[in-house]
Structure formats: C-alpha cells, structure tokens
C-alpha cells in the first residue's frame, strides 16, 4: 500500500484508543475518528510493514452509530475520542474492550465480565482541569488544550467535559493576565512565567480551587488576581501558586504557596468529607466515583472484625468509605501530600481505626508482611501501568481471602489478573464502570478470591 492511494473499506473495529480499524488487502488500517459500520473511501496517509494509517476521504454510507460531533475542536484536541458516535455505541466499545482484555490477555472466561455501568452525566463531569496557558494569534493570553499526541496548544476557552464554572474562571483569569501583561511560558524556549491554570471544583460542596502553575517564585499582581477571583466567585475557597521551574512536560512542581484560603478544598463522597490539595489525586468524576466505591464495597463484602489494606489509596477515599465496617484499615500511598490529606480525612470523619503509610506499595506490602499484619481483604487501585510484579508476590504471601482490583487500564489489569490466577486466586467478577464518558478510558472493578488449599 502506498501513501495517497484510495481504497473502499468498511470500519470493523476500534483500537484500544478508540481509533477506527478496517482491513484493506488483509492489512489493518487505522482510521482515527471513524465509526464502526462506516463504509468509506479511505486515503492512505502512512504505510508501515504490517499496518497503515488512513483518513476518510469520502463517506459512502455512514454508520448508524454516528451523530454530529458537538465540539468545534473534536478531531484536533486529545481529550474526547467519541463525540461522533452515540453514548450507547461508546459503551458497547468499552464493554468489548474489557471483555477482549480479559479473554486475550487474562485468559479468563468472558462470562465474568458484567454489563458496564454507564454514567448518567456525559458532559461537565470533570471536576479538574489543567489548562496550558498560551497566546492566540493576536497575542492575547488565553488557555487551550493540547492537540492530540502533541504539546501544541489549541486556544479554546471552554470544554464540554469540564465543570461549567471553569469556563467563567478562565475568562476572569485571562482578562486579568492580559491587563497585567504577564509573560506566557514557552515549552521550547523554557522562558516566560504562566504555565498552567489548574482548577478544581468540589461538585457536592461547590468549593472552588484556583491554582496557577508558574515558572518563577512569584508573579506580578498576585493580590489583584486574588481580589478579582474573590469578587467574581463566592464559592472560591483557595488560591494556590504552584512553582514549576523545571524543563519538563510534567504539569505541576513540588512546591506550593498559598495565596488565599487553606490550600485545599473539601468535597463529600459516600457520606464522608474529603480534603483535596493540588498535588493529591481525586477522582475526576465524583458522582461515578461514588458508584465505583459502592461497587468496590459490595465486592469487598467486609465483615465485622476483618482487616482491610487499601494500596494506592490517594487521599484514602476508598478505604475510609469502608472503615466503619472493619476492625483495622491500612492505606498506602506514595505522594506525601496525599497521605497527609488521608490522615486529616480520617480525623475529620472521626475514623480512628485507620493507619496510613507513605511509601511505594510494593515496599509497604513487604514491610506489612514482616510485621505479620493479617489482611482479610486487599484493595489495589494502581495507576495505568498496573501493579508491580513483586507486589503481586507479596500480596500472595499476605494471603487475603479477597482482592478487589480497581483499574483504569483493562490491559494491565488483565495481565495482573493472570498473575494472581497463577498464584492461587480465582477471578469472580469484573464490573466495567464508565468514569470518563466521551473519552476512550474505562475503569473496571474486579473481585478475586483465594482458592482454598492453594
Ligand atoms: N484509590 C485512590 C487513588 C487512586 S489513583 C482513589 O480512588 O482516589 C492511584 C494512586 O496511586 C495515586 O494517588 C498515586 O499517587 C498512587 N501511586 C502511584 N504509584 C504508587 C506506588 N508505587 N506506590 C503507592 N502509591 C502509588
């Protein structure tokens, strides 16, 4: 196949990232933003040995899943994958993605995968935004979104996925930045001050956090900005400066300086209050997180007198929401600020049976083993790369009756499930939960139980 050749093809599947796939002359051709069921003329853009990339040149017959994308920069921005198909079709894709991972990678029967739990709210669910600050073609300071797979910023002041109040904050902030005339950070030159506008909105309590990430220790007009934000937003709880002077594409630096308030906001989840600092992880879709935790609690099936270990606990949310059911809860997390939040969260909610350890999950599990800690149930909720293989070995030694695995990546989840199966655990149920509508991501909660006698 050669570049610029045009073939008639039917889109048959999606990749794990949600790009359309068709077969032309027996070869897989990836067609971004195509929908399963589209019949189209596909132009080859790039051809490798075993696969190619193409784009739809002319639609012959569109898929019945299609709908008109309702965002001006869909296709360009790296945020949404599925604004061009119905939500039902998106859920079908996510269900299949999880089932495929379990059968192909995990070697587990597809029957254990339950129907996906969809999100009632498909827009404005994101309670967090990290917006690169840039200048538009007229030199006006604005915020934007990274173009798919790159660090080029597309100027845009609003996004359908994020909390509506963010659009207002962006307007007030950029007006101020333009009045004040502060320089904008350039990644390629590593110069300029304003890097990111980082916003968090606690959906249940309505508290707002504004964090400005800068390539400096301070910026001109800090007080004026705080006044402006206070005058415009009654629910503003804190303004924080995050200092990031590194030449890196990691958004936040390690140092924060509080300009207003306490440096954190508080949200409610599963009837408990949680404080959220700029550097702590907090689920971006609060309402679905509540559902996710309810499912995790159901699968954990904790009984009076049992001990629970919550690995990769963030600010302690999952474990603390179940603490009232157990004798002892131990949470482990690597980010010091998150552990500090977790301890404060336990205190604030009157939970006295929780212990939090700031360490790598694999190392902490080894330490708990050497302390002869007994665990009836272990919850793991690792980042996308999944669990460290040494951690899986230590969990086997800790020998909990039940393991509840919360995962945001079906492939690494299925890989780890296979390892747990080899170590004497049987996968009972996998429940996909859609935490991130319109994107390609899908969360899954899995219950594995120890096979007695192994
Ligand atoms: N269970 C929490 C957080 C899940 S996100 C919740 O639902 O809110 C994953 C968490 O794992 C993050 O807070 C991240 O900081 C933490 N983490 C990443 N690598 C880790 C490691 N090696 N050991 C322990 N925690 C880690």
């Amino acid at each position: 196949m050669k570049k610029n050749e045009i073939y008639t093809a039917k889109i048959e599947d999606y990749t794990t990232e949600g790009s359309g796939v068709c077969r032309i002359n027996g070869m897989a051709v990836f067609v971004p933003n195509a929908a399963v069921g589209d019949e189209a003329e596909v132009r080859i853009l790039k051809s490798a040995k075993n696969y190619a990339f193409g784009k739809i040149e002319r639609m012959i017959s569109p898929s019945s899943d299609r709908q008109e994308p309702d965002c001006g920069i869909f296709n360009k921005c790296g945020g949404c994958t599925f604004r061009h198909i119905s939500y039902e079709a998106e859920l079908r894709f996510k269900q299949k993605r999880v089932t495929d991972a379990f059968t192909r990678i995990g070697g587990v029967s597809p029957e254990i995968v339950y129907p996906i739990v969809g999100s009632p709210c498909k827009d404005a669910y994101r309670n967090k935004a990290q917006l690169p600050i840039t200048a538009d073609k007229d030199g006006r300071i604005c915020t934007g979104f990274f173009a798919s797979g790159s660090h080029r910023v597309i100027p845009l002041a609003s996004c359908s996925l994020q909390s509506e109040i963010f659009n207002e904050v962006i307007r007030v902030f950029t007006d101020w930045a333009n009045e004040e005339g502060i320089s904008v950070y350039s990644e390629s030159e590593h110069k300029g001050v304003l890097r990111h506008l980082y916003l968090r909105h606690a959906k249940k309590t309505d508290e707002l956090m504004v964090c400005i990430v800068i390539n400096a220790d301070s910026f001109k007009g800090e007080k004026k900005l705080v006044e402006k934000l206070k005058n415009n937003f009654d629910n503003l709880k804190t303004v924080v400066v995050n200092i990031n002077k590194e030449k890196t594409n990691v958004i936040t630096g390690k140092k924060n300086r509080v300009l207003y308030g306490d440096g954190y906001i508080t949200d409610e989840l599963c009837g408990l209050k949680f404080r959220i600092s700029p550097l702590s992880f907090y689920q971006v879709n609060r309402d679905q997180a509540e559902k996710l935790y309810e499912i995790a609690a159901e699968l954990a099936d904790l009984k009076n007198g049992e001990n629970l270990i919550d690995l990769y606990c963030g600010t302690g949310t999952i474990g603390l929401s179940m603490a009232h059911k157990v004798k002892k809860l131990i949470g482990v997390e690597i980010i010091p600020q998150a552990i500090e939040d977790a301890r404060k969260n336990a205190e604030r909610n009157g939970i006295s049976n929780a212990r939090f350890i700031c360490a790598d999950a694999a190392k902490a599990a080894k330490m708990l083993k050497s302390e002869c800690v007994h665990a009836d149930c272990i919850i793991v909720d690792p980042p996308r790369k999944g669990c460290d293989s040494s951690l899986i070995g230590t969990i086997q030694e800790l020998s909990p009756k039940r393991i509840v695995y919360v995962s945001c990546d079906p492939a690494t989840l299925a890989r780890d499930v296979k390892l747990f199966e080899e170590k004497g655990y049987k996968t009972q149920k996998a429940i996909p939960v859609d935490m991130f509508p319109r994107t390609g991501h899908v969360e899954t909660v899995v219950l594995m139980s120890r096979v007695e006698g192994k």
Side-chain angles (χ1 to χ4, degrees), residues 84-100:
H84 64 312
I85 60 171
S86 68
Y87 187 53
E88 290 67 39
E90 175 185 332
L91 289 180
R92 246 184 281 132
F93 157 79
K94 290 180 173 177
Q95 180 82 34
K96 183 170 178 299
R97 185 174 167 204
V98 174
T99 310
D100 284 354

Side-chain angles (χ1 to χ4, degrees), residues 411-425:
T412 56
L413 168 65
R415 176 202 68 199
D416 291 349
V417 158
K418 189 164 189 221
L419 294 175
F420 277 117
E421 291 246 340
E422 285 162 12
K423 293 194 182 297
Y425 282 86

Side-chain angles (χ1 to χ4, degrees), residues 81 97 146 185 255 372 383:
T81 309
R97 185 174 167 204
F146 286 124
Y185 180 71
K255 248 171 80 185
C372 297

Side-chain angles (χ1 to χ4, degrees), residues 266-384:
T266 303
D267 203 6
E268 268 175 45
L269 205 57
C270 301
L272 299 180
K273 287 194 159 49
F274 290 103
R275 67 182 239 172
I276 308 155
S277 309
L279 300 181
S280 302
F281 177 90
Y282 185 63
Q283 296 281 353
V284 296
N285 183 345
R286 184 216 158 266
D287 295 357
Q288 281 297 89
E290 209 160 49
K291 219 177 262 174
L292 181 81
Y293 293 174
E294 276 162 21
I295 294 169
E298 217 176 286
L299 297 187
D301 190 25
L302 294 159
K303 293 164 197 81
N304 247 338
E306 287 193 331
N307 287 341
L308 170 67
I309 299 180
D310 178 12
L311 298 176
Y312 306 92
C313 71
T315 57
T317 41
I318 299 188
L320 289 173
S321 71
M322 303 177 196
H324 62 285
K325 296 185 182 164
V326 298
K327 189 163 91 193
K328 180 131 194 89
L329 159 71
I330 299 174
V332 176
E333 158 67 42
I334 205 160
I335 305 278
Q337 208 183 20
I339 278 292
E340 198 185 310
D341 283 353
R343 288 187 183 127
K344 291 268 166 36
N345 286 335
E347 208 179 290
R348 179 147 187 202
N349 290 291
I351 296 169
S352 53
N353 60 342
R355 165 185 173 196
F356 287 100
I357 302 167
C358 185
D360 164 64
K363 286 196 185 125
K366 275 210 177 80
M367 183 186 93
L368 294 172
K369 175 73 187 103
S370 69
E371 284 179 20
C372 297
V373 165
H374 167 76
D376 299 280
C377 177
I378 296 185
I379 296 177
V380 292
D381 184 7
R384 259 177 236 169

